[in-house]
Amino acid sequence: MSSRGRLQSIGVLALLLGAALFAWRPTSSAVLYSGYARTDSGLLSLEITVTPPIGLPGTEMQMIVRITNYGDLALTPSIALRLPRGMAADMYALPAGATFNLQENQIDWLPAVPARGVQEFTIDITVQAADVTNPEQRVVGLLRHQGDEREAAAPLWLGIAPLVGNVTAKGQVS
């Protein structure tokens, strides 16, 4: 086989490899940050939803916490919601039976959930700072009832936008 034939076969292989890489695109990692979590403990179900699940410093998000009782008797679970560092909640919008622990950045909620009923609250949270080295964060909810403890973790992205716009050389340093 001549050197020209080898170059042609290598060129064809490179073209096929390029076409395969172009056709196969990895999915965006942004889909991993759903902002949703759910856990069940017996007749209780805890759901946490944070929208939007991706935020920059200054972004206002909304967290909805819902506890559902599927039983025939009223239940009183204990729920702890740990917010990531760098996030602040509107403490004045907490529901009855809830307190905010500033040191732990945690909401403690003791709802009375009626039989076959639902209790929920919505609270605004703000991203105040982002950890550039660790933007993948979680809002963790702990559901405790009659000695059983279950955890739900809603994945979030709290960081700097990964896209870079036009970068031009400046003549003077700021």
Side-chain angles (χ1 to χ4, degrees):
M1 186 174 211
S2 70
S3 63
R4 184 176 191 162
R6 284 187 210 148
L7 285 176
Q8 284 180 340
S9 62
I10 291 172
V12 168
L13 285 174
L15 181 66
L16 290 174
L17 179 63
L21 288 175
F22 180 76
W24 175 78
R25 293 182 188 160
T27 59
S28 170
S29 63
V31 296
L32 300 175
Y33 309 106
S34 64
Y36 178 79
R38 177 185 171 150
T39 189
D40 298 309
S41 175
L43 298 172
L44 293 170
S45 175
L46 174 65
E47 291 179 272
I48 303 167
T49 306
V50 180
T51 55
I54 299 172
L56 311 169
T59 302
E60 289 200 14
M61 301 174 158
Q62 194 173 55
M63 181 171 68
I64 302 167
V65 180
R66 176 181 298 141
I67 183 82
T68 306
N69 179 0
Y70 297 105
D72 293 327
L73 298 172
L75 298 174
T76 55
S78 169
I79 298 169
L81 300 160
R82 279 185 264 154
L83 301 176
R85 290 184 194 178
M87 290 191 84
D90 181 7
M91 295 182 287
Y92 301 108
L94 291 173
T99 58
F100 191 80
N101 183 334
L102 287 170
Q103 287 181 326
E104 299 291 325
N105 207 24
Q106 176 174 304
I107 298 170
D108 294 308
W109 186 33
L110 301 170
V113 190
R116 304 231 175 253
V118 175
Q119 288 286 343
E120 88 174 24
F121 73 91
T122 303
I123 191 166
D124 293 329
I125 52 179
T126 305
V127 180
Q128 292 182 328
D131 184 353
V132 179
T133 60
N134 188 21
E136 298 174 355
Q137 299 290 329
R138 304 178 311 154
V139 172
V140 178
L142 293 171
L143 170 61
R144 296 183 193 109
H145 186 253
Q146 295 180 345
D148 188 24
E149 184 175 303
R150 301 294 172 113
E151 181 178 299
L156 305 173
W157 173 275
L158 305 175
I160 306 300
L163 300 176
V164 176
N166 293 337
V167 178
T168 56
K170 301 290 181 189
Q172 188 176 20
V173 176
S174 307

